[in-house]
Amino acid sequence: MPFPSDSKPDSQVEALIEKERTRQTTGLQLIASENFTSPAVMRATGSVLTNKYSEGYPGKRYYGGNAVVDEIEAIAIDRVKQLFGADHANVQPHSGASANMAVYQAMLKPGDVVLGLSLDHGGHLTHGSPVNASGIFYDFRSYKVGVNDERIDFDEVRRLAHEHRPRMIVAGTTSYPRRIEPEPFKKIADEVGAYMMFDIAHLAGLVAGGAHPNPVPFADVVTFTTHKTLRGPRGGCILSTKQHAQAIDKAVFPGQQGGPLEHAVAAKAVAFLEALQPEFREYAHQIVKNAAALAEALAMRGFRLVSGGTDTHMMVVDLRPFDAELTGKEAQAVLDTAGITLNKNTVPNDPRSPFVTSGVRIGTPSVTTQGMREGEMSTIADFIVTTLKGRNDPAIIAEVRAKVAALCAAFPAYR
Ligand code: DSN
């Protein structure tokens, strides 16, 4: 029987996809964890590979018909090992959260003590939040950023590690603007006999492009998502030493997941090849230069940058010196109306709740993919200031919206 969709496309969903394409390509996408992936990555994601079940790993599958899938997954594994210099890779995790949970399952027992960065100081839900499975099944203790410099305080990490004797120390963040040196984490982990895990979900593209230190030579295990700075499809990945390879593969399947998403695995392979190209190094460094330029432009216009600036693709902006009444929630909403998409974010020791916040998080991966450079970053800072100052005037917001659309038309994400 032919597909009904052959004769009758789903016009409702297609129209909504088109609407979302318009939103993405006519507005500024400044969410630090997002990016525009390539047409080649999207072709793989929308391919016939979505039809195939392939529980297991290359050469060891539970179902027949996996010769082609085996080749694809083997290519993805080889490429990502080459990209990061890793001994072992598992490319099947559906997301960064699944990757992290698989690592915990592989290397910990329920109830084991783990040390990770507190969520409200830039950590991630899966680094022990009490509402997440990580915090429910494992005994997470948190380190925070320093009160004065708002940076990871390794003396404090060491003190907590010696006090709590964790089985694992987790490095990695979701809203921390500074580079993170892996060596001090490794040293502290060794002192207390803990495993070291580094979650580079945000940093993977910068690491791949040589714009951030690579933790692979230091960590027992490194996890990441493939869709942020790395610019691939939505998904996760785990790199590890040979020692942990078998336990990690077993924890991903059958431990945490069933059939892998081989269309996503193929798209990861495409993205890894793109990241292996020399141009990707230039891209990664430009993301960082753009973030530095935008941070400086915002600081000059009266905002406070958490930790005083950024060395990565993102910044956390404290709105209070600019306007004490303005919350992150309100800033996010009004900027969205002007076509500038970012997210509200707590600042360290924020007196407001995570639903309101005193800050916003801003990232430059998407605008850098569009080809924008430092000059456009000060234009964006002006758009942000004009919108926030004129937030009660629809005419001002409409004017910024038009200018944002013109800027995006000059730097199209997709040609
Ligand atoms: N949601 C991601 C981010 O925005 O950083 C983390 O999972």
Side-chain angles (χ1 to χ4, degrees):
M1 190 170 161
F3 296 121
S5 56
D6 275 353
S7 50
K8 195 166 169 284
D10 182 341
S11 54
Q12 199 179 2
V13 169
E14 284 187 15
L16 286 170
I17 292 173
E18 209 38 51
K19 201 170 166 186
E20 173 62 7
R21 177 192 290 274
T22 303
R23 187 198 68 77
Q24 287 185 16
T25 55
T26 64
L28 290 163
Q29 307 308 322
L30 297 177
I31 290 183
S33 48
E34 293 182 359
N35 211 331
F36 291 109
T37 200
S38 72
V41 165
M42 285 196 284
R43 270 196 300 279
T45 310
S47 70
V48 293
L49 291 162
T50 196
N51 298 333
K52 191 70 196 102
Y53 256 124
S54 46
E55 285 98 328
Y57 290 100
K60 289 170 281 178
R61 305 281 184 184
Y62 284 80
Y63 295 173
N66 273 304
V68 177
V69 161
D70 276 3
E71 276 192 64
I72 289 169
E73 191 168 330
I75 288 172
I77 291 168
D78 283 349
R79 287 179 182 171
V80 76
K81 281 166 61 179
Q82 189 188 340
L83 190 58
F84 292 97
D87 287 343
H88 177 73
N90 188 308
V91 294
Q92 291 190 3
H94 301 332
S95 67
S98 341
N100 289 352
M101 290 312 295
V103 169
Y104 301 150
Q105 181 170 336
M107 299 168 74
L108 304 173
K109 288 195 289 300
D112 272 354
V113 175
V114 187
L115 189 58
L117 179 62
S118 167
L119 179 61
D120 58 351
H121 280 230
H124 187 248
L125 272 177
T126 58
H127 300 177
S129 162
V131 296
N132 181 264
S134 58
I136 294 169
F137 294 118
Y138 304 99
D139 185 5
F140 268 83
R141 311 295 166 94
S142 299
Y143 54 94
K144 293 179 182 290
V145 295
V147 181
N148 297 320
D149 64 0
E150 298 175 311
R151 297 180 188 223
I152 292 167
D153 174 354
F154 284 104
D155 290 338
E156 181 64 357
V157 177
R158 173 172 286 106
R159 190 188 67 73
L160 290 168
H162 283 266
E163 181 183 334
H164 298 299
R165 312 298 299 187
R167 185 95 181 111
M168 174 183 278
I169 297 180
V170 177
T173 61
T174 57
S175 56
Y176 180 76
R178 296 299 184 174
R179 63 190 265 151
I180 305 171
E181 298 298 339
E183 292 100 318
F185 274 110
K186 172 67 178 159
K187 197 159 179 295
I188 296 168
D190 283 350
E191 283 169 21
V192 297
Y195 294 128
M196 174 187 167
M197 165 176 148
F198 202 135
D199 176 347
I200 56 166
H202 268 267
L203 301 168
L206 304 186
V207 172
H212 187 278
N214 183 0
V216 167
F218 302 95
D220 294 284
V221 61
V222 171
T223 61
F224 59 96
T225 47
T226 45
H227 51 272
K228 297 186 174 91
T229 48
L230 195 57
R231 213 163 63 175
R234 193 156 285 279
C237 186
I238 304 172
L239 307 174
S240 76
T241 57
K242 281 206 172 71
Q243 185 200 340
H244 299 291
Q246 214 182 350
I248 281 177
D249 284 352
K250 213 170 139 199
V252 173
F253 171 82
Q256 293 274 334
Q257 297 183 174
L261 311 178
E262 290 294 341
H263 54 301
V265 169
K268 288 173 193 176
V270 173
F272 298 148
L273 184 64
E274 290 175 357
L276 280 162
Q277 305 311 306
E279 306 85 84
F280 195 86
R281 292 185 79 77
E282 202 185 314
Y283 168 65
H285 283 92
Q286 190 62 45
I287 293 177
V288 174
K289 285 187 210 163
N290 283 351
L294 184 53
E296 194 187 331
L298 290 169
M300 280 168 55
R301 287 159 180 77
F303 296 91
R304 188 185 79 83
L305 278 300
V306 167
S307 81
T310 174
D311 327 299
T312 63
H313 61 298
M314 74 152 78
M315 66 215 72
V316 180
V317 182
D318 186 343
L319 301 166
R320 291 171 297 181
F322 175 79
D323 182 336
E325 301 302 310
L326 179 64
T327 65
K329 182 181 176 184
E330 192 184 1
Q332 177 186 307
V334 70
L335 287 166
D336 216 12
T337 321
I340 301 169
T341 305
L342 44 66
N343 64 280
K344 61 179 179 282
N345 211 93
T346 52
V347 298
N349 307 306
D350 202 323
R352 295 182 171 123
S353 85
F355 299 104
V356 180
T357 81
S358 300
V360 291
R361 186 184 66 163
I362 302 181
T364 52
S366 300
V367 291
T368 308
T369 296
Q370 288 174 270
M372 294 188 203
R373 301 177 81 86
E374 289 91 325
E376 285 72 40
M377 298 305 115
S378 56
T379 307
I380 292 174
D382 283 336
F383 291 163
I384 291 173
V385 168
T386 308
T387 307
L388 294 179
K389 283 199 168 143
R391 61 188 185 273
N392 296 319
D393 186 339
I396 290 177
I397 293 171
E399 199 180 315
V400 176
R401 181 71 191 89
K403 286 183 181 169
V404 164
L407 179 62
C408 291
F411 292 92
Y414 298 110
R415 284 160 210 280

